[in-house]
């Protein structure tokens, strides 16, 4: 039997509002437990929610960016369930009238083609606190700092066909919310989490199979693995004569398996109803028009501009625009050195491997865009060679100062005086007289190989400082001469 | 002193007839002496009371006395009061000391009022008998055999018995107006949103409205002036401008069109009460008003509608009382579910448990569409009926209570208790301002007449009641011995 997969994602993006969605408490991450929980966050009697205007702005900005319908009226509802880290016993969310309606997101597939994934809706809601089960023997600790932070739940249509597409979609949303400045995208801190709805059906069947929902997957790698694991589990289950049960599951990366949390039969009746403490949110068309003017350049637009303005390849442009921070970094470097191709190569090469090695975000880069730009200027004006530049780059990363200071201190300035280079060459050729003799008697193929040997020796003799182009030219003259 | 109205006390304090400390001391002594037999207070704060009175006296001495300086009020124990137990009449909150004060209490304190303490109430406002408090029933000073009526039982009885000059309360379905009527007092429920709900413990959020139980409409005007206004901390607070309620009290009623809501004079209404209410209409007519018979469509659905929506809201408002962060927690919970179940079963009395269960049922999958959504539609229709009615009349007159307060010996009947709010819940469903004023006696017990005004027309409402009270003396009656 041939199977096909249907996937829909629910992404929870924590919006970067300075204060909580319904209270004035700070949303800063990492504060001492319960130090950012007001009477309202604790659901003390008589406390009331007041909607954070920033939350509305950020949600609408997202809606505009995914070309979504934004209705004039949206409404908050109570979702009722008991849990110790949910202080009021209900989560204030949006059921029937979400702030953002139907929209879409285009993703690039591995073969370079584009696929449009529908966005069903995006709604505002409050996050719950955290239950801490370690360090409290026989009890649980409750930290309500996160309770009431602003979430935007972005729900996709079930139009994703495999795990790779799911990751591409999640990455695209992740990139977009950061471009918009509405979410810091920090997955380790839980600012961006993903629920994956997965079902399988025989190829050709129209009806969806029974789906399961994998909750709270918090890295792109795990999204891919969790979905693939779940697809395998469902197919094996059905092929063995079993039935998929609609349920919520949890992915265990250590065992690479998904485990059932609760099934539909046990599902809570959330008893949704309109929250009487909050008035409907009215979005006026003028507000959206004004907001639209504040939309930054979005990833797709930036990609196209990078290709046309900097003559970058589609691949380079898409790598450089994957995050707004990387794109901004690249543009700053390009502006300083005036060479887009060089800037692109360094950003995607040396810089990226440096970041990957230490698992750093671009914002944490030990080499600033200014520093890299200045370094590249020195390649451009022949002060140093590309190879020497790599050493200087490492020194900058180690905190040794600017490119110029390092070049100066280490005496790395490129030798471009042809007299000096000729002297080096003469000395080197004299020391390798046998090889020179051999070269002169060799055929073209052999000569090509040997030429590289002489260049290497010359560069070594100059401790890498000789201008490689001049070395090439002068060496050829001497050998052929 | 306690025979005076709030307005009279304000004038006496201004003239220097007595000091705020003398007045406060007088009430504290009366409470100590008389409240043991009435149980109208849950918490007394004598020390704070005297300190506030002294502050009012100092303010007066240096010429900076505010409008309510030195006036002794009591507050229903549903309003959070910083540093003071706020129990809502429930075991659940017996140990709860609020970390902040309700907006209304802040406003009244800022105007110089003195707080005597927190008054007894039906548990979380979820009954109308005055008997469901964890702290015991509040007794009826006119007839100890009868219930006092609620939910603001303590506020009404304290004012009736001269243990406070006036009191705040929360009116969700008639909880101020009903006991006010039973005790010969004036009860004002302002427009929904006129006074911030911040710090007023929620019963049914879209119904709850802070208001006052006073000896006169003039007193109510004084208090509303201090309490009314926009509060950005309550999203349902109204930004409508606030009138000057006291200076607009002198208007003659000539030309005022009063609609008699004929269909509210129904078979449930005690004929003797009906006669008194209609007599109050005639009195208003003699004062210059024109009486017009009207029908209020869907009024017979009010109780059902209020029960469904109100219990739905109440059930989830009660969810925060889970034994986790504050309030009652059971001993030695064996598990999380055990903690929830026992803390809530022990902490909530029967009337609250009933509302929680009812509400959870109405909101559950399947029932929601059948009941809740329908009730919301009916609520809109009731509002529309009022909009239509106020096209042709300026005020509406209706009964407050269908019957005298029941005898304590009669078994409580949940449905009957809900039904006792049949004439008052309408104003809460529509969010209208409404006032109950004494209009006569039946079997020696006070009964009230209800006036309803269009949204934010409290000034019109208070003026009509004040003109009525200038011409009558029903509001001056006192229970004997108090």
């Amino acid at each position: 039997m041939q199977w096909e997969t249907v996937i829909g994602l629910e992404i929870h993006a924590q919006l970067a509002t300075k204060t909580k969605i319904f209270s004035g408490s700070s949303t800063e991450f990492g504060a001492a437990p319960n130090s950012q929980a007001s009477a309202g966050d604790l659901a003390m009697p008589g406390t009331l929610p007041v909607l954070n205007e920033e939350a509305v702005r950020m949600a609408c900005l997202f809606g505009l960016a995914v070309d979504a319908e934004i209705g004039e009226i949206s409404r908050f509802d109570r979702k009722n369930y008991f849990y110790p880290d949910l202080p009021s016993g209900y989560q204030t969310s949006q059921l029937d009238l979400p702030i953002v309606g139907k929209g879409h997101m285009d993703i690039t597939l591995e073969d370079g083609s584009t696929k449009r994934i529908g966005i069903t809706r995006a709604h505002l809601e409050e996050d719950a606190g955290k239950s801490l089960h370690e360090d409290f023997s026989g009890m649980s600790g409750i930290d309500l700092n996160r309770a009431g932070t602003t979430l935007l739940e972005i729900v996709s249509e079930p139009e994703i066909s495999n795990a790779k597409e799911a990751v591409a979609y999640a990455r695209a949303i992740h990139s977009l919310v950061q471009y918009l400045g509405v979410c810091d995208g920090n997955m380790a801190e839980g600012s961006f989490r993903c629920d994956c709805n997965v079902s399988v059906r025989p190829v050709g069947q129209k009806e969806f199979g029974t789906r399961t929902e994998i909750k709270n997957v918090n890295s792109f790698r795990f999204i891919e693995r969790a979905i693939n694991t779940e697809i395998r589990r469902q197919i094996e289950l059905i092929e063995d004569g079993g039935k998929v049960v609609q349920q919520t599951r949890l992915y265990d990366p250590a065992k690479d398996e998904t485990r059932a949390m609760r099934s539909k039969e046990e599902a809570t009746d959330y008893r949704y109803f309109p929250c009487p403490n909050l008035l409907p949110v009215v979005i006026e068309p003028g507000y959206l028009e004004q907001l639209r003017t504040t939309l930054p350049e979005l990833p797709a637009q930036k990609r196209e501009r990078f290709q046309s303005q900097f003559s970058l390849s589609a691949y380079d442009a898409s790598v450089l625009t994957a995050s707004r921070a990387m794109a901004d970094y690249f543009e700053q470097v390009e502006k300083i050195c005036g060479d887009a191709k060089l800037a692109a190569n360094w950003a995607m090469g040396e810089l990226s491997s440096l970041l990957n090695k230490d698992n750093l975000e671009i914002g944490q880069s030990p080499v600033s865009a200014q520093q890299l730009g200045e370094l590249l200027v020195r390649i451009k004006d022949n002060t140093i060679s590309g190879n020497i530049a790599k050493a200087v780059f490492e020194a900058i990363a180690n905190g040794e100062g600017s490119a110029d200071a390092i070049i100066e201190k280490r005496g790395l300035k490129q030798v471009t005086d042809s007299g000096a280079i000729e002297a080096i060459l003469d000395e080197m050729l004299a020391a390798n007289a046998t090889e020179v003799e051999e070269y002169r008697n060799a055929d073209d193929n052999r000569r090509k190989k040997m030429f590289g040997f002489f260049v290497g020796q010359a560069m070594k003799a100059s401790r890498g400082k000789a201008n490689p182009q001049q070395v090439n030219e002068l060496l050829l003259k001497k050998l052929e001469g | 002193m306690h025979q005076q109205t709030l307005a009279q006390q304000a004038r006496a304090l201004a003239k220097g007839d007595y000091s705020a400390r003398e007045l406060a001391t007088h009430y504290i002594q009366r409470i100590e002496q008389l409240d043991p037999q009435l149980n109208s207070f849950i918490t007394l704060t004598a020390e704070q009371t005297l300190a506030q009175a002294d502050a009012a006296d100092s303010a007066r001495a240096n010429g900076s006395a505010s409008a309510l300086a030195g006036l002794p009020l009591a507050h229903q124990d549903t309003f959070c009061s910083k540093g003071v137990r706020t129990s809502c009449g429930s075991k659940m909150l017996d140990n709860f000391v609020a970390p902040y004060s309700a907006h209304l209490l802040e406003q009244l304190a800022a105007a110089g009022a003195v707080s005597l303490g927190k008054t007894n109430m039906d548990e979380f406002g979820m009954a109308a008998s005055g008997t469901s408090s964890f702290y015991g029933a509040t007794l009826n000073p006119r007839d100890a055999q009868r219930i006092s009526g609620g939910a603001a039982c303590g506020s009404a009885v304290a004012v009736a018995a001269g243990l406070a000059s006036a009191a705040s309360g929360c009116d969700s379905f008639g909880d101020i107006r009903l006991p006010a009527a039973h005790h010969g007092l004036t009860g004002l429920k302002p427009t929904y949103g006129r006074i911030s709900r911040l710090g007023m413990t929620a019963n049914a959020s879209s119904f709850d409205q802070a208001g006052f139980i006073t000896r006169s409409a003039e007193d109510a005007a004084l208090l509303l002036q201090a309490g009314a206004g926009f509060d950005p901390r309550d999203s349902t607070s109204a930004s409508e401008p606030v009138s000057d309620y006291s200076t607009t009290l002198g208007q003659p009623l000539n030309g005022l069109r009063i609609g008699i809501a004929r269909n509210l004079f129904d078979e449930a209404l005690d004929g003797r009460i009906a006669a008194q209410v209609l007599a109050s209409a005639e009195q208003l007519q003699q004062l210059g008003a024109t009486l017009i018979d009207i029908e209020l469509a869907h009024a017979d659905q009010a109780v059902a509608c209020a029960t469904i929506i109100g219990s739905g809201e109440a059930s989830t408002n009660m969810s925060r009382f889970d034994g986790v962060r504050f309030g009652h927690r059971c001993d030695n919970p064996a598990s999380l579910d055990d903690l929830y179940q026992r803390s809530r079963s022990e902490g909530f009395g029967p009337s609250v448990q009933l509302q929680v269960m009812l509400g959870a049922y109405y909101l559950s999958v399947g029932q929601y569409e059948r009941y809740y959504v329908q009730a919301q539609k009916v609520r809109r229709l009731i509002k529309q009926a009022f909009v239509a009615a106020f096209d042709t009349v300026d005020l509406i007159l209706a009964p407050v209570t269908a019957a005298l307060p029941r005898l304590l010996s009669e078994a409580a009947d949940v449905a009957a208790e809900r039904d006792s709010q049949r004439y008052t819940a309408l104003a809460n469903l529509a969010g209208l301002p409404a006032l109950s004023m004494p209009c006569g006696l039946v079997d020696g017990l006070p009964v009230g007449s209800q006036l309803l005004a269009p949204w934010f027309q409290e000034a019109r409402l208070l003026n009509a009641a004040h003109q009525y009270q200038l011409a009558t003396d029903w509001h001056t009656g006192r229970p004997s011995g108090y």
Side-chain angles (χ1 to χ4, degrees):
Chain A
M1 178 93 68
Q2 288 288 309
W3 298 93
E4 67 180 11
T5 309
V6 177
I7 301 166
L9 297 189
E10 291 168 20
I11 291 171
H12 289 87
Q14 191 183 102
L15 295 188
T17 53
K18 288 199 173 62
T19 55
K20 295 183 178 181
I21 183 167
F22 299 124
S23 86
S25 305
S26 166
T27 54
E28 193 82 32
F29 182 82
N34 297 310
S35 62
Q36 289 170 180
S38 65
D41 302 329
L42 264 64
M44 290 266 185
T47 55
L48 294 170
V50 176
L51 178 60
N52 187 335
E53 211 178 322
E54 266 297 275
V56 173
R57 185 188 68 82
M58 289 178 172
C60 287
L61 202 60
F62 174 82
L64 291 173
V66 296
D67 203 16
E69 298 162 11
I70 299 176
E72 198 179 347
I73 302 276
S74 74
R75 197 180 65 194
F76 285 95
D77 302 279
R78 289 183 182 177
K79 178 183 182 181
N80 294 284
Y81 64 95
F82 284 97
Y83 204 70
D85 57 25
L86 185 70
S88 53
Y90 52 83
Q91 179 192 31
T92 304
S93 180
Q94 299 191 297
L95 182 67
D96 294 329
L97 294 170
I99 188 156
V100 174
K102 274 189 183 306
H104 55 81
M105 175 57 104
D106 291 341
I107 59 170
T108 308
L109 303 183
E110 278 186 315
D111 64 4
S113 66
T114 300
K115 178 172 176 180
R116 175 159 290 190
I117 306 293
I119 290 173
T120 315
R121 56 183 285 167
H123 64 259
L124 284 167
E125 62 186 23
E126 58 179 338
D127 206 347
K130 278 181 190 162
S131 295
L132 310 163
H133 302 294
E134 289 158 25
D135 307 331
F136 301 93
S137 74
M139 295 198 282
S140 291
I142 309 289
D143 180 2
L144 295 177
N145 283 353
R146 198 182 66 183
T149 50
T150 312
L151 294 181
L152 186 67
E153 180 173 334
I154 305 156
V155 183
S156 86
E157 291 288 329
E159 296 175 349
I160 299 167
S161 310
N162 57 53
K164 283 215 156 31
E165 279 183 26
V167 171
Y169 168 80
R171 278 191 188 280
I173 297 283
H174 185 249
S175 164
L176 177 66
V177 292
Q178 291 180 81
Y179 262 79
L180 296 170
V182 302
C183 173
D184 68 14
N186 191 325
M187 297 176 86
E189 290 175 6
S191 301
F192 192 89
R193 327 193 275 270
C194 193
D195 299 342
C196 313
N197 288 291
V198 179
S199 67
V200 297
R201 62 182 171 193
V203 171
Q205 180 182 306
K206 278 209 153 155
E207 307 82 54
F208 292 134
T210 305
R211 69 184 159 88
T212 58
E213 182 180 13
I214 315 165
K215 277 279 185 199
N216 269 334
V217 190
N218 66 353
S219 84
F220 295 121
R221 199 155 52 98
F222 291 165
I223 290 174
E224 185 168 347
R225 285 170 53 186
I227 289 174
N228 281 331
T229 302
E230 180 60 17
I231 293 170
R232 270 199 308 279
R233 187 191 71 86
Q234 291 189 10
I235 293 175
E236 277 169 25
L237 185 66
I238 299 170
E239 289 186 340
D240 288 351
K243 264 191 166 173
V244 175
V245 181
Q246 187 173 338
Q247 59 189 185
T248 306
R249 301 181 71 85
L250 210 58
Y251 177 66
D252 179 349
K255 295 187 177 156
D256 193 26
E257 63 178 28
T258 65
R259 276 199 301 272
M261 286 170 73
R262 52 177 186 264
S263 67
K264 196 192 172 192
E265 288 74 47
E266 306 160 45
T268 324
D269 176 355
Y270 289 118
R271 288 176 281 117
Y272 276 101
F273 78 108
C275 178
N277 283 336
L278 291 160
L279 300 174
V281 180
V282 179
I283 306 286
E284 314 222 330
Y287 173 81
L288 289 180
E289 282 326 300
Q290 200 283 324
L291 196 61
R292 195 184 294 279
T293 65
T294 70
L295 268 179
E297 186 181 32
L298 299 178
Q301 297 163 337
K302 205 179 276 279
R303 205 159 49 232
E304 278 169 29
R305 179 169 64 82
F306 276 21
Q307 283 179 252
S308 59
Q309 182 181 341
F310 301 123
S311 307
L312 295 177
S313 69
Y315 175 79
D316 287 2
S318 75
V319 171
L320 290 172
T321 56
S323 80
R324 183 176 176 176
M326 177 55 105
D328 289 349
Y329 189 103
F330 161 77
E331 286 208 85
Q332 206 186 335
V333 173
E334 189 279 333
K335 203 172 168 193
I336 296 167
C337 76
D339 186 332
K341 187 64 198 161
L342 188 66
N345 287 344
W346 275 78
M348 291 160 56
E350 293 304 303
L351 178 74
S352 291
S353 37
L354 176 74
L355 297 177
N356 286 342
K357 181 165 63 82
D358 294 327
N359 208 5
L360 298 174
E361 297 292 323
I362 183 90
Q364 305 164 295
S365 170
V367 179
S368 70
Q370 179 74 30
Q371 287 173 318
L372 180 57
E374 288 169 3
L375 174 64
L376 301 191
V377 167
R378 294 300 166 237
I379 298 178
K380 292 280 289 179
D381 66 10
N382 283 328
T383 305
I384 53 173
S385 67
N387 258 331
I388 291 284
K390 287 179 186 170
V392 177
F393 182 80
E394 266 182 43
I396 298 172
N398 289 332
E400 292 177 33
S402 70
D404 284 352
I406 293 163
I407 292 167
E408 180 67 34
K409 195 171 73 187
R410 296 198 181 174
L412 296 176
K413 204 161 178 215
Q414 188 160 262
V415 179
T416 51
D417 169 14
S418 52
I421 294 175
E422 279 191 64
I424 292 168
L425 289 178
D426 290 342
E427 198 178 319
M428 182 273 292
L429 291 173
N432 294 286
T434 324
E435 282 80 3
V436 173
E437 193 54 35
E438 194 188 334
Y439 176 91
R440 292 197 167 129
N441 294 328
D443 61 15
D444 272 4
N445 254 344
R446 179 77 188 135
R447 279 190 171 196
K448 261 185 195 158
K449 278 185 189 157
M450 290 197 74
F451 189 77
F453 163 78
F454 292 120
V455 170
Q457 291 297 309
M459 292 307 289
K460 196 173 160 190
S462 77
R463 287 189 292 128
K465 290 191 288 182
N467 179 304
Q469 206 177 338
Q470 283 173 292
V471 168
N472 269 294
E473 283 167 13
L474 293 169
L475 185 61
L476 196 60
K477 262 188 209 162
K478 286 186 188 290
L479 287 172
E480 302 292 314
Chain B
M1 288 182 252
H2 65 273
Q3 298 296 348
Q4 294 178 315
T5 65
L6 194 72
Q8 287 165 341
Q9 289 173 350
R11 291 189 278 271
L13 284 163
K15 274 201 325 202
D17 290 353
Y18 43 76
S19 69
R21 177 172 261 270
E22 284 170 312
L23 186 60
T25 307
H26 177 70
Y27 276 106
I28 290 171
Q29 283 168 355
R30 283 185 61 80
I31 293 167
E32 281 171 0
Q33 185 195 340
L34 298 167
D35 201 47
Q37 68 210 43
L38 293 174
N39 198 25
S40 67
F41 280 88
I42 292 174
T43 305
L44 294 169
T45 53
E47 227 171 278
Q48 284 184 29
T49 305
L50 291 174
Q52 289 167 0
D54 289 344
D57 284 332
S58 316
R60 193 168 309 280
N62 64 35
S64 62
S66 308
L68 304 180
L71 295 175
L73 308 179
H75 300 296
Q76 187 179 334
D77 206 18
T78 190
F79 293 98
C80 285
S81 42
K82 190 175 179 177
V84 175
R85 174 175 60 186
T86 300
S87 76
C88 296
S90 179
K91 180 181 179 182
M92 181 57 85
L93 290 180
D94 184 46
N95 63 3
F96 179 70
V97 175
Y100 74 109
S101 284
H103 178 81
L104 176 61
L105 267 53
E106 281 180 352
Q107 293 290 107
L108 294 171
V114 170
S115 169
L116 293 164
K118 309 292 290 292
T119 59
N120 205 356
M121 59 184 284
D122 276 306
E123 187 179 1
F124 283 104
M126 294 186 190
S129 61
T131 63
S132 69
S133 168
F134 170 63
Y135 302 92
T138 295
L139 300 186
N140 189 326
R142 299 237 183 202
D143 183 349
Q145 304 301 308
R146 293 182 184 272
I147 61 167
S148 57
C153 53
S155 285
V157 168
V159 177
L163 307 187
S165 185
S168 64
C170 174
D171 192 311
S172 304
F173 306 101
D175 306 276
I176 283 177
R177 288 161 287 157
L178 282 171
H182 287 328
H183 297 285
L185 300 167
T186 302
L188 172 68
K189 179 203 99 71
T191 309
Y192 183 77
R194 182 69 298 178
I195 298 175
S196 168
R197 288 185 294 125
L198 186 84
M200 185 170 77
T201 309
N203 169 3
S205 309
S206 71
F207 296 80
D208 300 345
Q209 178 56 51
F212 308 100
I213 295 176
T214 55
R215 299 198 140 176
S216 69
E218 188 186 16
D219 289 1
L222 271 178
L223 295 176
L224 181 62
Q225 201 70 56
F230 176 64
D231 176 11
R233 299 171 299 175
D234 172 2
S235 306
T236 60
S237 168
S239 54
E240 206 79 13
V242 175
S243 315
D244 187 332
Y245 301 110
S246 293
T247 59
T248 51
L249 285 180
Q251 316 289 318
L253 301 187
N254 295 333
L256 188 78
R257 299 165 300 169
I258 297 179
I260 310 293
R262 279 294 165 191
N263 55 325
L264 297 186
F265 293 79
D266 54 13
E267 73 289 346
L269 180 61
D270 183 327
R272 297 167 299 171
I273 296 177
Q276 302 283 20
V277 175
L278 290 172
S280 74
E282 279 163 28
Q283 179 67 53
L284 288 163
Q285 189 178 32
Q286 282 174 32
L287 292 169
T290 310
L291 302 184
I292 302 168
D293 283 347
I294 60 163
E295 297 276 320
L296 281 173
H298 311 289
D300 56 336
Q301 303 291 310
V303 168
C305 188
T307 302
I308 293 166
I309 302 173
S311 66
E313 292 177 357
S315 72
T316 87
N317 283 335
M318 292 296 110
S319 297
R320 65 192 58 206
F321 305 110
D322 56 5
V324 174
R325 296 164 313 285
F326 48 76
H328 177 73
R329 178 187 289 182
C330 67
D331 290 331
N332 306 314
S335 66
L336 183 59
D337 282 343
D338 185 43
L339 170 79
Y340 286 151
Q341 284 170 17
R342 281 200 289 130
S343 299
R344 290 166 64 77
S345 301
E346 293 164 8
F348 290 144
S351 56
V352 175
Q353 293 191 16
L354 174 70
Q355 292 307 307
V356 169
M357 286 188 280
L358 260 186
Y361 174 75
Y362 290 133
L363 293 177
S364 63
V365 167
Q367 312 310 322
Y368 179 74
E369 292 289 330
R370 193 175 305 160
Y371 294 107
Y372 204 87
V373 173
Q374 294 305 315
Q376 283 177 311
K377 287 180 186 162
V378 174
R379 188 177 197 176
R380 273 195 291 280
L381 293 175
I382 288 174
K383 271 187 204 175
Q384 284 165 14
F386 276 112
V387 170
F390 284 123
D391 267 350
T392 54
V393 299
D394 303 308
L395 292 176
I396 293 170
L397 184 138
V400 186
T401 57
L404 296 176
R406 71 170 160 84
L407 293 168
L408 276 166
S409 56
E410 287 170 27
D413 174 340
V414 172
E417 201 165 310
R418 269 290 185 195
D419 201 53
S420 71
Q421 299 164 329
R422 58 192 292 121
Y423 309 127
T424 51
L426 279 166
N428 302 86
L429 281 162
L432 292 169
L435 176 145
S436 156
M437 59 184 189
C439 68
L441 297 172
V442 169
D443 278 355
L445 293 171
V447 294
S449 174
Q450 185 178 201
L451 292 173
L452 297 90
W455 294 271
F456 302 106
Q457 299 304 321
E458 283 85 355
R460 187 187 299 168
L461 192 63
L462 290 163
N463 178 59
H466 180 63
Q467 295 304 313
Y468 177 82
Q469 290 178 344
L470 288 176
T472 59
D473 58 5
W474 298 114
H475 63 292
T476 61
R478 297 284 171 267
S480 64
Y482 298 94

